[in-house]
Amino acid sequence: MATVAMADTDAMGGARCEQVRVLRAGTLHARLEGHALRYIRFANVEVLRALQFAMRGAGWETHPFDVRSTRIRETSDYFEVVIDGTTGPSGDELDVSIAIEGHASGRLTYTTIASVRRAVETNRTGIVMLHPLSVSGERVVAEHDDGTLSESRFPERIEPYQPFLALRALRHAIGDQVEVAIRMTGDVFEMEDQRNWSDASFKTYSRPIALPWPYPLAAGETYVQRVDIDVRPLTSPVAVDDPRIAREQGLEQGPGQDFDAHAPGRSQPIRIQIGAATDTRLPSIGLGIDADADVCDASHVDLLGVLRPNHLVATICSDDDAASLALRFKRIASLTASAGADLVLNVILACRDTPDAELETVRHAMHAAGVAPGAVFVTPAVDLKAVLPGSPWPAAPSLESLYDAARRVFGPAKIGGGTLAYFAELNRKRPDPAALDFIGFTTCPIVHVADDESVVETLSCIEFIARSVKALFPDVPFWVGPSSIAMRANPYGAQTPANPSRLKIAQTHDDVRQFESFAAAWALGYIAEFAKHGAQRIGVAELTGFSGITLASNGRLELSALGHLLAALYRVTGYRLLDVSAAYPAGSTAVLAVDDGAVHRVWIANLTPERICYHVDHGSNPHRRVEVDGYSVAPIVLEVC
């Protein structure tokens, strides 16, 4: 039996970047990242997306986990891991010991012992499990804390509230491949549908959110939790030592070797077939502009005249004083005139006066500046903060009264409603679609975690979000954005955290990838998915600021990689999308192809850190070879015969 010690290294994903390795016991595989298990597979089937201990602060921020020591023992059919570390707002309020065991039979245990050094408050502390999207629609038998059993299904449409409460155990299948039994001890667990925040998972956690939070952890107390997982195959699995399967799962390495999650597709070219034009057209793509800060100079105004985004989105608060409103609308007027773009005006109502009175104040300043929005989105200020399950809704006028007032005040403009926050808030507070011309919301891929892989995985959730929106509001178009990797505002806490150490952390307004090629690759996947699934308008990024596409270099204003991508896409909106078929591992690639009437324009995003070779097949350009660097976008032009 081999014994391996792993020292912690520097910081990872939500905060720290730990040494990574594959644990293997027969056909049971898991990736160990610091103190977390990810991509737990049995017989080549993903059973859990992640399993880890987590501590959330009073603002729902996740405190970093500092791994102090790791000990691993492995054989061909067994692995054992013991991890000691600390966590807390100051980094060491809790001493945590984690024991992990995996068996070739399909049994996995994850046990945590948390000892409190110093009293601390938390919104949630304990084991968290993430179930993959592949369980959507599967039958599940739940055992509750009172011993009763209930049979249901993992939801297909996104559930606004917890689909399963007071959990002690779960049993479900994944297709006809495996059956999974999970038992939880040490607290009462429940599950939420994380697709609400574009996370590609369902999350089982403790303790129930209906209980008071934050709650105290007393000094000297010890908290023990354990999860037992048993997996059994329902059909004969594909041999895991098959080289093809090993490549697809990134498991070429043996025990104790480093693990590259993105091995898929690296050794063989990925083939992309560009087909005929479809009936779907690339929708309007917009850009946010900041009306609240004097950040736009003449060069920004001139740049908008070159970029020509299809629409601009600006936000105004009704309780701003007259001078502030006048200044903000003056900026908006300058930017929209230069861009020649339709304006979507978001109006946040303070609700201290009647809706008509507050909206009339906004309209007066708007007309004085010569601004004429094509659409007005209205929301009460209290809805900028989330209302978590079990909490009372804050007092506010009815949404319908706000929309009626907006129609009276803004006349011919389209009136929209929904949320300036995320799909979760729209799902939990649903406006009457009969009162609206469009439904609006945004998304953010770093609400819970912020590592590269998790951000990319959110793209696989867009289809579920779009289908849920269309099921809720079948007769009203939906508009999304402006969205960015960074969190533009925090519905769940007092503010977004600063990022002075330049790490990849959740919920920050200052994401380190915004001005890198990664942001362009993610945005291409975002636009392609929402376009394919019916969004009428898509907003991505802002002109300036932390979610911006411009940066100063040597006294000159330059576009980021994302800015260059958007500049190209603005010019092909309204054209028909081309059919694209490809055989590539899920999450590795995004493709957007457009027939602009003269040529076929194709953008390929490599969503992995490794360089990938693509073979693009097209009627007039068979077997065209394109190599794309990791987390980058490559544009190609294909002549039409």
Side-chain angles (χ1 to χ4, degrees):
M1 177 176 293
T3 301
V4 182
M6 290 174 62
D8 60 333
T9 57
D10 56 55
M12 130 171 168
R16 294 185 60 84
C17 184
E18 310 288 353
Q19 192 171 350
V20 177
R21 62 176 284 141
V22 171
L23 302 171
R24 303 176 64 164
T27 65
L28 176 67
H29 301 152
R31 196 170 87 187
L32 178 65
E33 293 186 9
H35 71 294
L37 294 180
R38 294 183 71 173
Y39 309 111
I40 300 167
R41 300 177 184 272
F42 182 75
N44 198 37
V45 178
E46 186 179 13
V47 175
L48 286 177
R49 178 62 49 93
L51 176 61
Q52 69 179 86
F53 178 90
M55 183 180 188
R56 306 289 294 274
W60 291 104
E61 70 279 10
T62 300
H63 296 310
F65 190 102
D66 186 7
V67 175
R68 299 298 174 87
S69 67
T70 302
R71 300 178 299 281
I72 299 175
R73 293 193 300 158
E74 287 184 286
T75 68
S76 60
D77 58 2
Y78 172 80
F79 60 77
E80 177 184 8
V81 184
V82 178
I83 300 166
D84 292 312
T86 62
T87 187
S90 300
D92 61 356
E93 281 84 355
L94 269 62
D95 283 317
V96 184
S97 179
I98 300 171
I100 304 168
E101 289 187 24
H103 302 259
S105 63
R107 182 166 179 263
L108 176 71
T109 64
Y110 189 97
T111 305
T112 65
I113 302 173
S115 303
V116 184
R117 286 185 184 179
R118 297 189 304 279
V120 64
E121 284 196 330
T122 179
N123 281 0
R124 178 184 300 153
T125 294
I127 295 176
V128 175
M129 280 179 287
L130 302 184
H131 310 266
L133 293 182
S134 57
V135 303
S136 302
E138 293 284 3
R139 289 187 178 275
V140 57
V141 176
E143 180 182 336
H144 302 283
D145 62 335
D146 61 1
T148 61
L149 301 177
S150 63
E151 185 171 348
S152 183
R153 290 183 181 271
F154 283 95
E156 294 188 28
R157 186 189 301 180
I158 301 174
E159 280 289 320
Y161 297 107
Q162 302 95 318
F164 303 104
L165 297 168
L167 290 175
R168 181 186 294 171
L170 294 166
R171 189 175 75 252
H172 65 88
I174 300 179
D176 60 355
Q177 300 169 294
V178 298
E179 182 179 71
V180 184
I182 304 172
R183 180 161 295 277
M184 300 149 279
T185 57
D187 206 337
V188 177
F189 286 72
E190 62 187 23
M191 184 188 298
E192 68 183 11
D193 193 336
Q194 288 212 127
R195 298 175 299 174
N196 276 294
W197 299 275
S198 75
D199 295 66
S201 61
F202 299 85
K203 179 169 69 179
T204 298
Y205 59 89
S206 67
R207 68 182 194 165
I209 202 170
L211 296 176
W213 49 267
Y215 60 93
L217 300 179
E221 293 292 321
T222 298
Y223 300 88
V224 180
Q225 289 188 356
R226 174 173 168 140
V227 170
D228 289 90
I229 303 166
D230 283 289
V231 191
R232 67 178 184 90
L234 297 175
T235 57
S236 298
V238 178
V240 177
D241 57 0
D242 183 317
R244 177 182 61 86
I245 297 299
R247 282 196 303 273
E248 289 179 359
Q249 302 303 328
L251 295 173
E252 296 115 318
Q253 299 88 346
Q257 293 181 282
D258 289 341
F259 176 63
D260 178 0
H262 293 284
R266 188 177 55 183
S267 58
Q268 297 293 328
I270 291 177
R271 295 195 173 274
I272 299 173
Q273 177 71 48
I274 306 299
T278 69
D279 293 331
T280 302
R281 295 181 182 272
L282 184 63
S284 176
I285 301 175
L287 184 68
I289 53 175
D290 188 351
D292 295 330
D294 194 8
V295 295
C296 297
D297 58 23
S299 60
H300 289 95
V301 175
D302 293 342
L303 180 62
L304 271 184
V306 176
L307 286 175
R308 310 287 288 185
N310 306 136
H311 65 273
L312 297 176
V313 183
T315 301
I316 289 291
C317 300
S318 68
D319 61 348
D320 288 338
D321 59 68
S324 295
L325 280 176
L327 178 59
R328 287 170 179 143
F329 273 116
K330 181 180 178 181
R331 295 186 189 117
I332 292 171
S334 175
L335 293 169
T336 53
S338 179
D342 185 29
L343 173 66
V344 180
L345 182 66
N346 297 332
V347 181
I348 300 169
L349 291 177
C351 299
R352 297 191 180 97
D353 203 340
T354 66
D356 288 84
E358 292 195 10
L359 290 172
E360 184 59 40
T361 298
V362 173
R363 187 199 66 80
H364 177 77
M366 182 184 80
H367 280 189
V371 174
V376 177
F377 178 98
V378 183
T379 185
V382 294
D383 282 359
L384 298 180
K385 291 298 182 182
V387 176
L388 298 185
S391 301
W393 288 93
S398 70
L399 294 178
E400 288 67 34
S401 70
L402 302 187
Y403 306 149
D404 288 344
R407 287 200 185 279
R408 289 190 294 270
V409 173
F410 292 103
K414 293 181 179 179
I415 302 302
T419 179
L420 293 181
Y422 310 127
F423 175 73
E425 282 61 61
L426 175 64
N427 204 12
R428 290 174 176 176
K429 189 174 184 179
R430 303 170 181 178
D432 178 3
L436 295 170
D437 298 313
F438 66 94
I439 295 291
F441 64 96
T442 70
T443 71
C444 175
I446 61 167
V447 172
H448 292 109
V449 290
D451 62 277
D452 291 345
E453 286 171 286
S454 296
V455 170
V456 167
E457 285 167 4
T458 62
L459 299 175
S460 66
C461 197
I462 289 174
E463 177 181 359
F464 291 93
I465 292 175
R467 283 191 296 170
S468 295
V469 172
K470 290 188 285 188
L472 290 172
F473 311 104
D475 301 319
V476 184
F478 74 90
W479 301 2
V480 62
S483 300
S484 60
I485 296 175
M487 181 178 273
R488 296 166 65 243
N490 187 358
Y492 314 111
Q495 58 189 9
T496 53
N499 191 11
S501 299
R502 313 302 295 152
L503 303 176
K504 296 171 184 176
I505 61 173
Q507 299 191 5
T508 185
H509 58 272
D510 182 12
D511 191 89
V512 298
R513 292 159 288 205
Q514 180 64 25
F515 298 99
E516 299 176 354
S517 61
F518 185 104
W522 177 83
L524 183 78
Y526 190 84
I527 292 169
E529 284 297 303
F530 266 122
K532 182 167 63 176
H533 293 292
Q536 190 182 76
R537 291 193 179 191
I538 305 169
V540 175
E542 298 187 0
L543 178 63
T544 57
F546 289 106
S547 294
I549 60 170
T550 56
L551 61 163
S553 177
N554 297 321
R556 298 178 52 201
L557 193 64
E558 294 185 357
L559 285 176
S560 66
L562 173 57
H564 284 290
L565 171 67
L566 293 177
L569 295 182
Y570 294 150
R571 288 162 172 72
V572 295
T573 56
Y575 290 112
R576 292 192 297 173
L577 298 179
L578 298 169
D579 183 63
V580 176
S581 60
Y584 50 75
S588 70
T589 302
V591 182
L592 180 66
V594 174
D595 179 358
D596 77 356
V599 296
H600 289 171
R601 300 187 183 276
V602 182
W603 289 266
I604 303 171
N606 175 0
L607 299 172
T608 81
E610 302 293 334
R611 186 178 181 86
I612 291 180
C613 176
Y614 296 92
H615 284 182
V616 181
D617 291 329
H618 181 264
S620 62
N621 298 269
H623 309 303
R624 179 166 176 175
R625 180 186 174 97
V626 181
E627 293 197 6
V628 186
D629 289 336
Y631 295 132
S632 296
V633 177
I636 59 175
V637 177
L638 302 172
E639 299 295 331
V640 180
C641 294

